[in-house]
Amino acid sequence: MDELVREWTAQLLDSGNVAALIAGLISLVLVVNRATWLPLRNVVTIAHEGGHAVIALLSGRKLNGIRLHSDTSGLTVSTGKATGPGMVFTLFAGYPAVSLLGLGGAWLVTADLAHVMLWGCLVLLAAMLLAIRNAYGVLSILLTGCAVFAVVWFATPAWQALCSALLSWFLLIGGLRPIGELSRKRSRGRAANSDADQLARLTRTPPGLWLTTWYLLGLVALVLGGTWLLLMPQV
């Protein structure tokens, strides 16, 4: 066991990922600090609503539009059967989408494909822009897209890798906080139409089951993605 710990520690230090660890700590601060979390939460909302939209389309529903609001909430509207697997999967997808995007980004960074992650983000943002139905949503997508494009166009490969790691960490860590926020809102009776409550009504299961499932999925993604990021190639 001691040998395994020494080997892993040596691998971590040799990989040059003190930088990756610092990126993770910066992301943690950005998520837990209210002053930085409030504006940056828009990034999490974009990923969340994008998850709803993608699964709605994949399940055969018609996507009517996405709205992003200045309080960092969002709404994805689709039409189709009001019950059944398609509706269940669409409602379920929002919270895990954030963590899964972070996990996918972590894998790409570890595979030395940070540029693929960044271009992928731009493509997804462009596609999502077509579905946005309010001015604040358009502004949020454009600002996020401009930030990513600046990294793609002006940053060196090393900085692209670090920025991609920072974004991946932020999604992995930031994907957990809204679940806790929703749990607290529900305890105060302020989220009767949340994704968890709608799923509970559709499936006749406790809302807490969905909250717990989302949180566990987010934790697994954080552990796995964090491990990948800490062993990313030398930058």
Side-chain angles (χ1 to χ4, degrees):
M1 184 65 181
D2 290 342
E3 182 63 29
L4 287 174
V5 171
R6 284 195 295 271
E7 182 179 344
W8 189 87
T9 303
Q11 188 178 4
L12 172 60
L13 294 176
D14 289 345
S15 67
N17 281 305
V18 173
L21 178 60
I22 292 173
L25 293 175
I26 291 173
S27 295
L28 179 62
V29 171
L30 293 176
V31 170
V32 301
N33 185 290
R34 181 177 174 80
T36 52
W37 172 245
L38 288 178
L40 291 176
R41 194 183 191 281
N42 285 288
V43 176
V44 173
T45 303
I46 289 171
H48 179 108
E49 299 304 327
H52 284 312
V54 168
I55 299 304
L57 291 171
L58 291 176
S59 63
R61 300 179 62 81
K62 179 183 177 182
L63 180 63
N64 295 331
I66 302 170
R67 301 177 71 87
L68 305 173
H69 305 130
S70 57
D71 63 355
T72 72
S73 65
L75 177 66
T76 298
V77 179
S78 63
T79 51
K81 288 183 62 177
T83 58
M87 190 63 192
V88 170
F89 287 132
T90 298
L91 286 169
F92 179 81
Y95 288 101
V98 183
S99 296
L100 291 176
L101 281 172
L103 183 62
W107 182 81
L108 288 171
V109 172
T110 305
D112 204 14
L113 295 171
H115 63 287
V116 175
M117 175 192 175
L118 295 170
W119 279 110
C121 287
L122 288 175
V123 170
L124 291 173
L125 287 169
M128 192 170 177
L129 183 61
L130 299 175
I132 295 294
R133 296 293 181 266
N134 67 324
Y136 184 83
V138 171
L139 179 62
S140 294
I141 295 292
L142 289 177
L143 287 176
T144 305
C146 286
V148 175
F149 181 77
V151 174
V152 170
W153 197 255
F154 297 108
T156 64
W159 278 104
Q160 288 182 11
L162 285 174
C163 290
S164 298
L166 181 66
L167 177 57
S168 299
W169 275 117
F170 180 78
L171 291 171
L172 289 167
I173 299 170
L176 293 173
R177 178 163 178 172
I179 303 170
E181 293 173 343
L182 175 58
S183 180
R184 289 191 293 273
K185 284 183 180 179
R186 291 195 67 262
S187 68
R188 300 168 190 153
R190 292 170 50 196
N193 289 315
S194 70
D195 293 348
D197 288 277
Q198 292 183 69
L199 282 167
R201 289 192 288 269
L202 278 173
T203 61
R204 298 181 182 179
T205 55
L209 172 66
W210 301 103
L211 288 167
T212 301
T213 301
W214 289 330
Y215 207 83
L216 289 175
L217 288 174
L219 284 176
V220 170
L222 175 58
V223 172
L224 183 57
T227 301
W228 288 344
L229 287 167
L230 290 174
L231 298 175
M232 63 185 269
Q234 178 96 23
V235 296

